[in-house]
Amino acid sequence: MSEDALEEVSVLSSIYCGEGEFELLQESADGVTVQITSSVVNGEKVTVLFHLPPTYPLCLPDISVSSSTLSRTQCQDIRQKLLLHAGTLPPEAMIHQLIESLQSLAVSESSPGAESAITPDQDQEQWISVLSLDHIRSRNRYVSLLERWSKQLQLSGRLILGRNILVLLQGSRAGIKEFCCLLKTVKVDVDSSGRKCKERLMKVLIETPSALSTENSLQGFVVKECLSLSELCAAFEEVHLTEVYKKILPSLRD
């Protein structure tokens, strides 16, 4: 298994970190097998099994699809379309892109009239996520990239600097996952030797549907310094997320 493929598996485990979303099923000389379960239409689940052979991504992954709500024929059709889509992609990390395409494929396979009855699912509703970063050495470059990505993905949030470096995001779940993917795959900072590096140690501390009203929702992307836990708590209180702070507190550095 190539180093790039192993790194992709690590990235996927960070992005699909919800309960039951990601599972590494096998890692051997024959390759790696991972399972990702995604909510698509009306919160219904579709599970995709990817087997990444030793020569991946130079060759395509093997794919199987299952669902408790779609028929076997529909699942086979989605599998075929995923394989066709994979064939159009460059020979590089592609699993996240394939999972992102599941929504439209599942809608096309649903029963007649189902598309018009769709209500916003988990990937379209507003979510709140808190990410933990390891370090920021090249501050101007790092902050500039985070601001650009949040704008492109229509996310609002806070970059909180201090003993704990946190990124607080609000927006669509799909947008937040794409933000996490960019953090793990783009060279956003420099290491101790001054070489450009990726954010390999990013962790998702919490990911939950947003309870914020439009009036209290986050606006823009703001950088804030918090040098103590009391200041950090106040920063969360300021944006009406005290309960989120309480849930992530055990994961924070004293």
Side-chain angles (χ1 to χ4, degrees):
M1 176 58 59
S2 69
E3 183 178 343
D4 287 345
L6 290 175
E7 181 176 338
E8 181 180 6
V9 171
S10 175
V11 170
L12 292 169
S13 67
S14 297
I15 297 173
Y16 301 99
C17 59
E19 184 177 357
E21 275 194 304
F22 176 88
E23 187 175 357
L24 174 59
L25 298 179
Q26 183 181 11
E27 182 178 354
S28 67
D30 294 328
V32 172
T33 302
V34 299
Q35 176 179 288
I36 298 176
T37 300
S38 177
S39 294
V40 284
V41 180
N42 291 329
E44 295 173 353
K45 306 284 188 180
V46 172
T47 298
V48 187
L49 203 68
F50 295 96
H51 175 69
L52 313 182
T55 52
Y56 172 85
L58 296 179
C59 68
L60 297 180
D62 189 19
I63 300 173
S64 64
V65 178
S66 61
S67 170
S68 61
T69 55
L70 298 177
S71 69
R72 183 175 180 180
T73 299
Q74 289 172 318
C75 288
Q76 286 296 325
D77 191 53
I78 290 176
R79 173 184 180 272
Q80 188 62 34
K81 289 176 180 176
L82 284 174
L83 286 170
L84 289 173
H85 182 40
T88 68
L89 299 175
E92 56 191 36
M94 65 178 68
I95 304 303
H96 178 64
Q97 288 176 264
L98 295 176
I99 290 296
E100 288 292 284
S101 69
L102 263 181
Q103 175 69 33
S104 59
L105 293 179
V107 168
S108 68
E109 289 301 323
S110 59
S111 58
E115 188 169 1
S116 62
I118 293 172
T119 57
D121 67 0
Q122 286 184 330
D123 279 346
Q124 300 302 321
E125 294 174 352
Q126 291 289 294
W127 280 63
I128 289 286
S129 185
V130 181
L131 317 179
S132 172
L133 307 183
D134 185 56
H135 58 72
I136 293 182
R137 293 191 176 95
S138 180
R139 178 166 171 169
N140 289 341
R141 170 181 168 77
Y142 210 132
V143 173
S144 176
L145 283 173
L146 297 185
E147 290 178 334
R148 184 194 309 167
W149 294 342
S150 65
K151 184 175 181 180
Q152 290 173 341
L153 298 169
Q154 298 181 313
L155 302 174
S156 300
R158 301 285 186 273
L159 170 62
I160 301 176
L161 303 175
R163 184 171 179 80
N164 297 279
I165 305 175
L166 305 176
V167 180
L168 172 60
L169 296 172
Q170 180 187 25
S172 71
R173 196 180 190 194
I176 290 173
K177 288 188 179 297
E178 183 64 26
F179 190 99
C180 293
C181 184
L182 288 168
L183 264 178
K184 284 275 193 172
T185 56
V186 175
K187 292 182 178 180
V188 293
D189 202 6
V190 295
D191 61 20
S192 57
S193 301
R195 296 187 295 263
K196 291 182 179 180
C197 64
K198 302 171 185 177
E199 183 53 80
R200 298 177 185 273
L201 299 180
M202 182 274 290
K203 295 179 181 179
V204 180
L205 300 184
I206 190 171
E207 184 184 56
T208 183
S210 174
L212 294 179
S213 64
T214 303
E215 178 181 306
N216 294 328
S217 63
L218 300 176
Q219 300 294 328
F221 191 86
V222 177
V223 180
K224 190 177 184 68
E225 295 199 16
C226 296
L227 303 180
S228 66
L229 286 180
S230 60
E231 290 181 347
L232 185 58
C233 179
F236 276 78
E237 288 177 349
E238 181 183 344
V239 291
H240 310 283
L241 291 173
T242 304
E243 291 304 313
V244 170
Y245 172 77
K246 290 178 180 178
K247 290 179 181 179
I248 68 170
L249 183 57
S251 305
L252 303 180
R253 302 168 182 167
D254 294 330

